[in-house]
C-alpha cells in the first residue's frame, strides 16, 4: 500500500474506533476520535521510515517492532494507540498488496496473501476501504461481543 492508503486507513479506522468506543455520536465520540487519530496516523506512517534506512518492508515491518511499540506505553505511559496504526499498516501490506512483508525479520521471507493488489492499481483505494471496514468490524466484535465470563463461571459453579 502507498502512503495515501495508509493515511486513509488510519483516519477511517480512527473514526470507526471513536464510534465503536462511544456509539452515541456526541462529544465523547468526537473526543475519542481526536484522541485516537493522531497516534494511529503516526503509527500507520512509522513502518515506512525504513525506506530511508535499512530494507523496506523488512527493517520496520515485523512482529518484534510491533511488540516494542505495543509495550512502549507500559514503560513510558505515552504513545497510546500508535501500535494500532503500525498493526494496520502491516495488515494493509500483507492483505492489500502483492509483495507482503518480512514478519519475522531478520528472517527475510516475505508473507502476503494472494488476493492483494498492486500499489499502483486503481482498486488500491477500494481494497484499503474494505480492509478498514473489516478491521472496524473486528474491533467492534471484540469490544461489544464479549463472552460474559462471570455469568459463565457462576453457571458452572452453580452446577457443581
Amino acid at each position: 500500500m502507498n502512503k495515501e492508503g495508509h493515511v486513509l486507513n488510519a483516519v477511517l479506522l480512527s473514526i470507526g474506533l471513536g464510534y465503536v468506543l462511544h456509539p452515541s455520536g456526541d462529544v465523547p465520540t468526537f473526543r475519542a476520535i481526536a484522541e485516537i487519530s493522531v497516534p494511529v496516523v503516526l503509527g500507520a506512517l512509522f513502518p515506512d521510515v525504513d525506506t530511508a534506512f535499512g530494507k523496506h518492508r523488512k527493517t520496520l515491518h515485523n512482529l518484534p517492532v510491533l511488540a516494542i511499540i505495543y509495550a512502549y506505553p507500559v514503560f513510558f505511559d505515552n504513545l497510546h494507540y500508535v501500535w494500532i496504526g503500525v498493526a494496520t499498516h502491516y495488515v494493509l501490506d500483507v492483505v492489500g498488496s502483492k509483495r507482503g512483508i518480512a514478519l519475522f525479520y531478520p528472517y527475510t521471507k516475505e508473507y502476503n496473501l494472494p488476493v492483494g493488489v498492486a500499489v499502483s492499481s486503481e482498486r488500491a483505494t477500494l481494497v484499503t476501504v474494505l480492509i478498514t471496514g473489516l478491521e472496524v468490524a473486528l474491533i467492534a466484535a471484540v469490544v461489544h461481543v464479549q463472552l460474559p465470563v462471570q455469568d459463565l463461571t457462576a453457571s458452572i459453579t452453580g452446577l457443581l
Side-chain angles (χ1 to χ4, degrees), residues 50 54-65 68 101-111:
D50 68 7
K55 298 176 181 173
H56 184 54
R57 293 204 177 189
K58 290 179 177 48
T59 307
L60 295 177
H61 286 72
N62 57 68
L63 295 177
V65 168
I68 291 167
I101 62 174
L103 285 172
F104 303 102
Y105 187 75
Y107 179 63
T108 58
K109 180 179 179 352
E110 293 183 356
Y111 295 88

Side-chain angles (χ1 to χ4, degrees), residues 51-134:
T51 58
F53 71 92
K55 298 176 181 173
H56 184 54
R57 293 204 177 189
K58 290 179 177 48
T59 307
L60 295 177
H61 286 72
N62 57 68
L63 295 177
V65 168
L66 179 59
I68 291 167
I69 291 173
Y70 181 78
Y72 202 89
V74 173
F75 296 103
F76 300 105
D77 195 32
N78 63 3
L79 299 181
H80 302 279
Y81 305 111
V82 171
W83 71 271
I84 294 172
V86 173
T88 60
H89 183 111
Y90 293 178
V91 169
L92 282 177
D93 283 355
V94 169
V95 178
S97 70
K98 289 186 178 225
R99 180 173 166 200
I101 62 174
L103 285 172
F104 303 102
Y105 187 75
Y107 179 63
T108 58
K109 180 179 179 352
E110 293 183 356
Y111 295 88
N112 68 343
L113 294 179
V115 296
V117 297
V119 172
S120 61
S121 170
E122 60 189 34
R123 293 179 283 169
T125 301
L126 175 62
V127 170
T128 299
V129 172
L130 291 173
I131 290 170
T132 305
L134 291 172

Side-chain angles (χ1 to χ4, degrees), residues 1-26:
M1 218 34 65
N2 58 23
K3 180 174 39 175
E4 292 82 12
H6 289 299
V7 171
L8 175 64
N9 172 259
V11 169
L12 294 176
L13 185 62
S14 299
I15 293 167
L17 284 172
Y19 277 95
V20 165
L21 297 173
H22 301 281
S24 61
D26 55 5

